[in-house]
Amino acid sequence: MRREADQKTVLGSVWLRDEPEPTRSRLSRGDIVRTAIKVLDRVGLDAFSMRVMAAELGTAATSALYWRVANKNDLLELAVDEVLADALVPEGAGDWRDQVTVVVEAAYHALWMHPWASQLLPSHAGLGPNYQALTDRVQAILKSAGFKGAYLDSAVSAIFHYLVGSAVTDSAWAAVVRRSGMDEFRWAREAGGALGVDAASLASYLNRESLAGPEARFSSGLRVILIGLRPRQLS
């Protein structure tokens, strides 16, 4: 029993440990996570800390914070998964490619709205219930379309690797611009020469509303991947 408890402590994820028992405090773990998301949206990942969270919640709630969430890493892991809840949209119409597109684009949009979440994806995502529900939904769509066995697993991996890779890459570009203190158009003018890239093209690449921007680029790339997939089983 002791060894099992120790393993749960060191397995490296809040999702592999039991949630603490309720206390008298009105502050729930969900309240803390939602507050953390608001703070992260406002101050960004670099300035985020448990001290900042305690100040946000107020002195009376500080003890509840540490009782409900053990440390910063746990809180960040909870926050990333909560963001992904926005990706669990109603099922779309059309064929399996259209249905996958609706789900995965919703996930990308949720991550785009919270850039800090994309920064955390390489180390703080994958085991939470919303991430798992997202994976299960894509897998169910592909399975219904006829994907089987190892090829089903490979197709799901290809889609999610593209989602995570795109979100991390686009977030990294946005973070560079944000650290400069400039808007994307001025940054493109200033940085284009140093990068050997036309400033207008670079601005379009960064602009969310542009036909060459991150969201349009993500949608086009996703379509390329889905067109390349066919329902079959690897031999």
Side-chain angles (χ1 to χ4, degrees), residues 204-224:
S204 295
Y205 182 89
L206 297 170
N207 184 6
R208 182 181 174 188
E209 306 299 327
S210 169
L211 293 177
E215 287 192 291
R217 197 165 56 247
F218 175 80
S219 295
S220 296
L222 178 61
R223 197 66 183 173
V224 168

Side-chain angles (χ1 to χ4, degrees), residues 62-85:
T62 301
S63 60
L65 166 64
Y66 287 100
W67 179 254
R68 304 300 272 161
V69 182
N71 54 56
K72 179 180 173 181
N73 271 329
D74 280 6
L75 184 52
L76 291 174
E77 193 172 10
L78 290 164
V80 172
D81 196 69
E82 183 66 22
V83 163
L84 290 173

Side-chain angles (χ1 to χ4, degrees), residues 101-125:
T101 297
V102 168
V103 175
V104 178
E105 285 187 344
Y108 178 84
H109 180 74
L111 294 168
W112 180 267
M113 296 302 293
H114 306 280
W116 52 268
S118 296
Q119 293 176 261
L120 290 168
L121 282 177
S123 57
H124 290 77

Side-chain angles (χ1 to χ4, degrees), residues 127-210:
L127 297 177
N130 290 321
Y131 191 97
Q132 292 299 315
L134 186 64
T135 305
D136 290 346
R137 182 171 292 184
V138 171
Q139 186 175 53
I141 294 170
L142 295 178
K143 193 172 183 179
S144 295
F147 287 77
K148 299 177 182 179
Y151 189 67
L152 171 62
D153 294 338
S154 297
V156 173
S157 293
I159 291 167
F160 274 84
H161 289 172
Y162 176 69
L163 167 63
V164 173
S166 296
V168 170
T169 300
D170 292 339
S171 174
W173 276 102
V176 171
V177 176
R178 187 165 54 251
R179 287 196 298 269
S180 75
M182 306 177 189
D183 62 36
E184 59 198 23
F185 299 102
R186 182 183 170 194
W187 187 86
R189 288 197 304 269
E190 298 288 339
L195 294 171
V197 178
D198 175 70
S201 298
L202 183 56
S204 295
Y205 182 89
L206 297 170
N207 184 6
R208 182 181 174 188
E209 306 299 327
S210 169

